[in-house]
Amino acid sequence: MALLADPDAPTDIARRMARILPARLAEKAGQGRLFDVEVVSEPFTSGTEDPPTLMRRIMDRGSRENWDVVVALTDLPLHSGGRRIVVDLSHEHGLALLSLPSLGGLRLQTRALRAVEEAVLGLAGPHATGTEGPARSQPFPGPFAARLTPVHPGPIGEEETADLRYVVSGPRGYLRVLVGMVRANRPWRLVPGLSKALAAALATGAVATVNSTTWSLAEALSAPRLVIAMAGSIALMIGWLIVDGELWHRSTEGSPEARQRTRLYNASTVMTVGIGVFICYGGLIVINLTWALFILTDRVFASMTRTPLDATEYVTLSWFVASVATVGGALGSGLESDEAIRAAAYSKREEERRHLLRGDQPAT
């Protein structure tokens, strides 16, 4: 069998999975059956997000390689009839197409492993040959039909390759897919890509920390105003990164599914960049606090503000300086061309995968 995975996160998940999957499948299948798992990383979703088209691509790929079972993993959110697809299965051809974002953002590796196990055992079992009735009538237990999740069977067109489909729908399903997309974006990898903005922010913070006007402002501001300053500076940085990096997705299609996909793409981009910026903001607070503890003295601070320099003043000053520094980092630096930042947007990853499919870059 083969795990056919899109580049980046799906490939990483497939490779980790392949180390333990053969033994787990052999144990659960019983009857002395053995499984040989091959991982193939290629951008099979490039240029389309249409599930029937993707299933045909997977079927053609499996036929060329003579694989018995093919499970394809993608980090794209797949849609059909307004519903978000978890998995498409074709028992006749031994195919499964799994959309990782639909598994949610928590314990993704574990959920993906369980999902692939269920898919392979279902496709390789007796019902896959049609000896126990139509494949579409067969239950598919495990993570897809878990009682407390919004996953349920979905309709399939008569001309589609798939004969069984599981989908998520409703607000819970939307939130599940959105969180899964943010998890697939790996927002923590954004921080190294913000080196230029961070350098400007650190310089701004270092100067602001020793400025008496900043001391007076920090001491005078109430907690609600500090929260507003924090929210405004973070929002400014998020907007700057998205605009300057051209991360906002604009669909050229007018269909409801295209509009729904665009909303998901942009929401996941804002959340991913927001998490990355928030991590940087927290780091700035820690660095500013360390710098203030090292450089400031109670006598000088009290002479300028008429307030003793205690723990509360240190924290308040570091918090306010982090907001000032974030604005300085956003406005005072140009965005570096970094793949970690571009990977925060699904549309940018799609462009890169099209280049890979054309052979412009070597696939990994």
Side-chain angles (χ1 to χ4, degrees), residues 17-310:
M17 192 184 300
R19 299 175 192 144
I20 59 175
L21 190 59
R24 291 173 65 100
L25 288 173
E27 178 183 357
K28 293 187 176 183
Q31 301 176 350
R33 302 183 69 180
L34 299 177
F35 293 82
D36 181 31
V37 179
E38 178 182 354
V39 177
V40 178
S41 176
E42 64 181 43
F44 69 92
T45 58
S46 180
T48 183
E49 297 172 25
D50 178 52
T53 302
L54 293 176
M55 287 293 281
R56 288 193 294 270
R57 283 186 181 180
I58 299 166
M59 182 174 63
D60 293 342
R61 189 73 169 89
S63 299
R64 289 199 304 270
E65 301 292 339
N66 199 28
W67 291 321
D68 295 322
V69 174
V70 184
V71 179
L73 307 178
T74 181
D75 55 1
L76 294 180
L78 302 178
H79 299 80
S80 177
R83 300 174 178 86
R84 287 159 283 277
I85 295 174
V86 179
V87 64
D88 269 359
L89 299 154
S90 172
H91 295 85
E92 178 183 355
H93 303 285
L95 309 175
L97 171 61
L98 178 64
S99 176
L100 294 174
S102 63
L103 299 179
L106 301 176
R107 299 183 297 113
L108 179 59
Q109 184 72 41
T110 301
R111 288 181 175 182
L113 177 61
R114 290 177 56 205
V116 170
E117 285 179 358
E118 295 289 346
V120 173
L121 293 173
L123 294 172
H127 66 277
T129 62
T131 57
E132 296 183 5
R136 69 178 67 245
S137 67
Q138 297 298 324
F140 202 77
F144 302 124
R147 182 173 57 184
L148 299 180
T149 67
V151 179
H152 55 85
I156 304 173
E158 294 183 0
E159 303 300 321
E160 293 194 47
T161 305
D163 51 40
L164 184 61
R165 169 175 291 158
Y166 280 85
V167 299
V168 290
S169 57
R172 287 181 63 201
Y174 180 89
L175 182 61
R176 180 188 179 104
V177 173
L178 180 59
V179 173
M181 291 174 68
V182 174
R183 170 63 178 79
N185 282 341
R186 295 178 286 189
W188 55 90
R189 295 180 60 186
L190 219 65
V191 178
L194 299 176
S195 58
K196 232 181 176 182
L198 280 174
L202 289 172
T204 304
V207 173
T209 301
V210 297
N211 186 288
S212 60
T213 303
T214 305
W215 304 346
S216 300
L217 285 172
E219 194 274 332
L221 289 176
S222 61
R225 289 193 174 188
L226 288 170
V227 171
I228 292 172
M230 177 184 69
S233 62
I234 290 176
L236 180 62
M237 177 67 93
I238 292 171
W240 167 251
L241 292 174
I242 291 175
V243 171
D244 192 67
E246 299 180 351
L247 303 182
W248 196 256
H249 179 68
R250 293 179 176 84
S251 176
T252 57
E253 304 175 33
S255 64
E257 287 190 4
R259 290 195 295 269
Q260 186 181 60
R261 187 165 58 244
T262 297
R263 288 194 295 268
L264 267 175
Y265 278 10
N266 290 329
S268 68
T269 296
V270 171
M271 289 182 64
T272 301
V273 176
I275 291 172
V277 170
F278 195 80
I279 292 173
C280 293
Y281 187 92
L284 285 173
I285 290 179
V286 173
I287 294 171
N288 291 331
L289 178 59
T290 303
W291 174 239
L293 288 170
F294 175 75
I295 203 69
L296 297 183
T297 64
D298 179 71
R299 183 176 60 83
V300 175
F301 187 88
S303 68
M304 300 299 298
T305 64
R306 303 182 186 278
T307 303
L309 185 60
D310 54 19

